[in-house]
Amino acid sequence: MRTVGVEEELLVVDPSGRPVPLGPAALEVAARRGEGETVEEHDRAGRGDDEAGGGDPVGRLVPELKTQQLEYGTRVCSGLDDVTADLRHWRGRADAAARDVGARVAALASSPVRVEPQSTPGERYTEMAETFGLTAAEQLTCGCHVHVAVEDDEEGVAVLNRIRVWLPVLTALTANSPFWLGRDSGHASYRAQAWNRWPSSGPNELFADAAAYHRLVGELLATETIVDTGMVYFDARLSERWPTVEVRVADVALRAEDAVTLAGLVRGLVETAAGQWRDGAGAPAVRSEVVRMAAWRASRSGLTGDLVHPATGRPAPAGAVVRALLEHVRPALAATGDEQRVADGVAAVLDRGTGADLQRRVFAATGDLTAVVRAAVEASHT
């Protein structure tokens, strides 16, 4: 059974529902409890953007790009019950640390209310702020990254080649950022739009092998545009520190159980892709421009409109495309004992909607974006 780990980024908010720059203070509390590392410790360690956990034997709370954020990673988990326990534990510990400094944490992928994002201190984050201007200055977004173990880089690249067409479906299923700094963005996942301003983000073409993957990373670094390998922001990539594939397209899920469903689907995709590779089946020959178009549509409408079906390249109702994903990975889910749990999780999201749908319902009922944040705080810990 392939191990799986999850990284989540959380928004730090005051009791009224406004983001506040108290992430570093909360981390000081967490560090004293042995549950995290301070901004200074994180900077000295020179950690990149995939190093909060996911492949780590233990979880911990760490800084993120903005002081209005916290990040954590779970342990390496064998089963989805372990993922569930860790997600709830670390969301709770992040909230406890925030409470000690007068704040809360919310699993929101963007800030519904207008806020001036503040960069986290440190050499790496300062360099990013200076290099990327408004792209970095406005990047107050919270994602969910899922790590799944692979045997080696060759298997990992074979997996990347075969899962890329399905990744937009994960964006739609986890959409949780309809509001952007005080207004409705018109997107279910505006985080995806903001994130893709980074020059190293998005889908890739197919790789011939692991050597080709590493050559591309080297060529990106040689441009002296990105500051380090941590900024290789592909939709899915090989982790530099852990023997995992890391899938990075999801918004942080409002509900912990939806993040568990995501983890199960990603593990199913990785196992399915690895099996296809072992059996000699080729990767879908879909150009990256088409994958990017599919990702845009997923970001735009979430589960409320059509998605691009990976098998046809044509629009189809979102529910049908999500169910096609479930069928695609069903044998892998059955092999790990996750079939019913993930199927029930997918059905629940299709029935009640995504985090974006809940946010819009609260705003329609209240006309108050701070009420949206307060509702999100409660949903994040239930």
Side-chain angles (χ1 to χ4, degrees), residues 9-11 69-70 106 108-110 140-144 191 250-252:
E9 298 156 357
L10 304 171
L11 199 63
Q69 294 174 280
L70 290 176
L108 287 168
S110 64
L140 181 56
T141 60
C142 296
C144 178
R191 179 206 60 85
D251 282 6
V252 65

Side-chain angles (χ1 to χ4, degrees), residues 169-175 255 257-258 261 265 301-307 316-327 330 341-355 357-358 361:
V169 188
L170 301 180
T171 299
L173 197 62
T174 60
R255 300 170 179 87
E257 190 57 39
D258 291 351
T261 299
L265 287 170
S301 59
L303 299 180
T304 63
D306 287 348
L307 300 174
V321 178
V322 170
R323 284 186 283 272
L325 167 61
L326 189 60
E327 288 305 310
R330 192 177 290 276
R341 180 171 192 165
V342 174
D344 288 347
V346 167
V349 177
L350 290 175
D351 181 56
R352 58 165 154 73
T354 63
D357 298 321
L358 182 143
R361 287 196 298 269

Side-chain angles (χ1 to χ4, degrees), residues 143-190:
C144 178
H145 306 157
V146 180
H147 288 255
V148 178
V150 289
E151 288 293 326
D152 54 29
D153 284 0
E154 291 297 342
E155 183 181 69
V157 167
V159 166
L160 296 180
N161 284 343
R162 288 161 176 79
I163 68 174
R164 58 200 281 275
V165 296
W166 291 102
L167 298 185
V169 188
L170 301 180
T171 299
L173 197 62
T174 60
N176 188 29
S177 48
F179 299 106
W180 182 254
L181 305 181
R183 62 179 295 181
D184 194 312
S185 68
H187 289 257
S189 171
Y190 195 73

Side-chain angles (χ1 to χ4, degrees), residues 182-255:
R183 62 179 295 181
D184 194 312
S185 68
H187 289 257
S189 171
Y190 195 73
R191 179 206 60 85
Q193 299 301 311
W195 186 257
N196 280 323
R197 298 177 192 174
W198 295 112
S200 53
S201 65
N204 307 107
E205 290 296 342
L206 299 176
F207 297 104
D209 50 28
Y213 175 93
H214 291 297
R215 278 197 301 273
L216 175 60
V217 172
E219 289 166 7
L220 294 179
L221 290 170
T223 70
E224 299 184 5
T225 303
I226 57 176
V227 303
D228 54 29
T229 54
M231 283 196 70
V232 176
Y233 289 152
F234 301 158
D235 287 347
R237 66 186 183 185
L238 302 181
S239 173
E240 190 172 20
R241 287 185 66 194
W242 315 116
T244 66
V245 162
E246 180 191 10
V247 173
R248 303 171 51 84
V249 296
D251 282 6
V252 65
L254 187 58
R255 300 170 179 87

